[in-house]
Structures are given as structure tokens and as C-alpha cells.
Amino acid sequence: MAEVERRLVRDRSWRALCATADRPDDRLVIGARGARWGLFGRGGTARRVLTRARCPVLTVPAPRFPVLLRTRLRYARAVHFLPGGSGRAAV
């Protein structure tokens, strides 16, 4: 069974992923929105992680969502996924 670690990091996403998985025995699995254009057409984060990570990286293509849902997910923030579904940050 693989060990999964959760962290909250304030940095560029690609930089945080590469810094977190810095050992050769680590593995990264990340989603890639631009997967339909091949390796070099992937989104900026996936492309940077693929070229800079010190461990193996598996990119998973994003599922095809309906247009309305895709637009809402694009503008989603972390507070929208808090328990309780309120979409408001706890103060």
C-alpha cells in the first residue's frame, strides 16, 4: 500500500511539487489538462514538473467535463472544497 501525504504549501504549484518529492524513491501523480496535444503541449505545471522533478512522474489526462462544470471548476478556490460545502472560509 502506498503512503500518501497531504500538505498545504504556499508557493508556485510546480515548485512545491518538485520540492516535496525530492527523493528518487518518491512518485508524483498529477493531472494534465493539455494532455490531448502530446508531451510538450501539456499545461505549464505538468510540463515544468516533468522536466524538473527528481522522481518519476505520471501525468493523468483530465476527464472531459460539460462546459458549464468545466468553467466553474476553472475558477474554484480551496475554500469551495471545505467540509460543510458552504464555500466560505472559517474565520
Side-chain angles (χ1 to χ4, degrees), residues 9-60:
V9 180
R10 293 185 66 94
D11 198 355
R12 298 279 184 194
S13 54
W14 64 269
R15 192 178 297 143
L17 286 166
C18 290
T20 301
D22 59 350
R23 297 185 315 261
D25 59 333
D26 288 335
R27 304 291 181 267
L28 279 175
V29 180
I30 60 174
R33 286 187 296 176
R36 63 182 168 271
W37 293 300
L39 177 64
F40 298 107
R42 297 195 192 281
T45 299
R47 186 176 63 245
R48 286 184 177 104
V49 169
L50 282 167
T51 58
R52 291 175 173 90
R54 294 183 187 143
C55 66
V57 179
L58 173 65
T59 57
V60 180

Side-chain angles (χ1 to χ4, degrees), residues 65-80:
F65 289 112
V67 175
L68 181 61
L69 182 58
R70 192 168 47 222
T71 303
R72 288 182 180 166
L73 285 174
R74 182 176 298 136
Y75 297 106
R77 300 289 176 251
V79 296
H80 297 128

